[in-house]
Amino acid sequence: MNAWRSLTVVIVLCAFWELGVCRYRDDNFIRMKLGGSRDFHNSAEIQSLAQFAVQQHNQKQNAFLELARVLKAKEQVVAGKIYHLTLEVVDAGQNTVYEAKVWVKPWINFKQLQEFKLAAGVPKLGWQTVPTNDPKVQDAANHAIKSIQQRSNSLFPYELLEILLAKIKVIEDYIKFELLLKLRRGNKEENFKVEITKNKEGKFLMNYV
């Protein structure tokens, strides 16, 4: 009789091993095969992973994406968990959709961005008008003033009065800014239209337009 009970326990344990048992936030057990996946609602954990994905992408690509919201999240159980995220992000002042894949092994505090790409069917952005008070635009304008001053033979320094127009375009490893600047040199005011390129190392290069 004891042998039958032991066999029953073994069978039950094997069944749980095959199914895999995961505990969700509300302490309900969710059974799913290893390698399977499930959809679930946004949570603090998912928001944190989404922020991590965007930050990692920005660091690797020297980009300036900002997370707007999580559109979809799917969890896949493997050796740890892989989270498939569909994210709405702000790219050069415009909202667009990216897909990210984050691999997590919580028991060894491991987290890795495996993939970050434009969602299928989403076109890459061209020139987009952005706010002139954007910090990235301000940095580019300051670099432009320094470059204009260096190329000038004037003893009077250039002073930025206003950024009249700012456009930005993200192209893989670099960012282009097209700026219309209102400058003052002594008593004279001038408008300059310039194009600034910022590479992934953070270096600026200016051309007049």
Side-chain angles (χ1 to χ4, degrees):
M1 190 69 175
N2 290 334
W4 281 107
R5 287 180 180 177
S6 298
L7 180 59
T8 301
V9 170
V10 170
I11 293 173
V12 170
L13 289 175
C14 289
F16 272 91
W17 177 264
E18 172 64 21
L19 288 171
V21 180
C22 301
R23 185 178 292 274
Y24 194 44
R25 288 191 310 114
D26 58 3
D27 290 332
N28 290 325
F29 283 103
I30 299 173
R31 296 173 176 81
M32 51 197 292
K33 278 185 175 291
L34 294 178
S37 62
R38 63 183 176 91
D39 292 319
F40 54 102
H41 296 294
N42 291 345
S43 64
E45 180 186 12
I46 294 303
Q47 291 295 327
S48 177
L49 288 172
Q51 289 286 1
F52 170 81
V54 173
Q55 290 170 2
Q56 287 292 300
H57 172 76
N58 285 345
Q59 290 176 11
K60 292 178 180 179
Q61 301 298 325
N62 197 33
F64 300 95
L65 304 184
E66 297 177 12
L67 177 65
R69 59 180 175 141
V70 179
L71 300 176
K72 187 178 180 182
K74 182 180 290 186
E75 178 189 89
Q76 181 181 3
V77 177
V78 287
K81 295 179 182 179
I82 291 181
Y83 293 87
H84 301 262
L85 308 175
T86 303
L87 310 175
E88 181 181 341
V89 302
V90 181
D91 187 351
Q94 299 292 318
N95 285 28
T96 189
V97 180
Y98 278 79
E99 294 174 345
K101 188 188 295 183
V102 181
W103 184 17
V104 176
K105 296 179 182 179
W107 64 92
I108 57 172
N109 197 28
F110 171 86
K111 187 163 50 176
Q112 182 184 77
L113 177 64
Q114 291 197 310
E115 187 175 83
F116 197 97
K117 63 182 182 180
L118 277 169
V122 177
K124 291 189 175 182
L125 298 175
W127 285 106
Q128 302 292 330
T129 301
V130 294
T132 56
N133 61 353
D134 187 302
K136 299 183 291 292
V137 173
Q138 296 285 333
D139 287 344
N142 289 331
H143 174 80
I145 296 170
K146 291 178 182 178
S147 296
I148 292 171
Q149 186 67 49
Q150 290 172 357
R151 298 180 187 186
S152 171
N153 294 323
S154 174
L155 297 177
F156 296 98
Y158 282 92
E159 177 187 356
L160 177 63
L161 298 178
E162 186 181 358
I163 302 175
L164 302 173
L165 180 66
K167 293 183 179 181
I168 190 172
K169 179 166 61 174
V170 180
I171 308 176
E172 296 184 353
D173 291 337
Y174 59 93
I175 303 171
K176 279 191 174 183
F177 299 85
E178 187 175 285
L179 308 177
L180 181 59
L181 308 175
K182 184 177 182 180
L183 307 181
R184 180 166 60 201
R185 182 181 57 174
N187 295 324
K188 184 179 179 181
E189 295 183 1
E190 301 176 69
N191 290 346
F192 286 84
K193 189 174 183 181
V194 298
E195 184 175 283
I196 311 283
T197 300
K198 184 178 182 181
N199 63 20
K200 62 182 180 180
E201 285 78 29
K203 295 182 179 180
F204 288 97
L205 176 66
M206 190 191 79
N207 296 308
Y208 290 97
V209 179

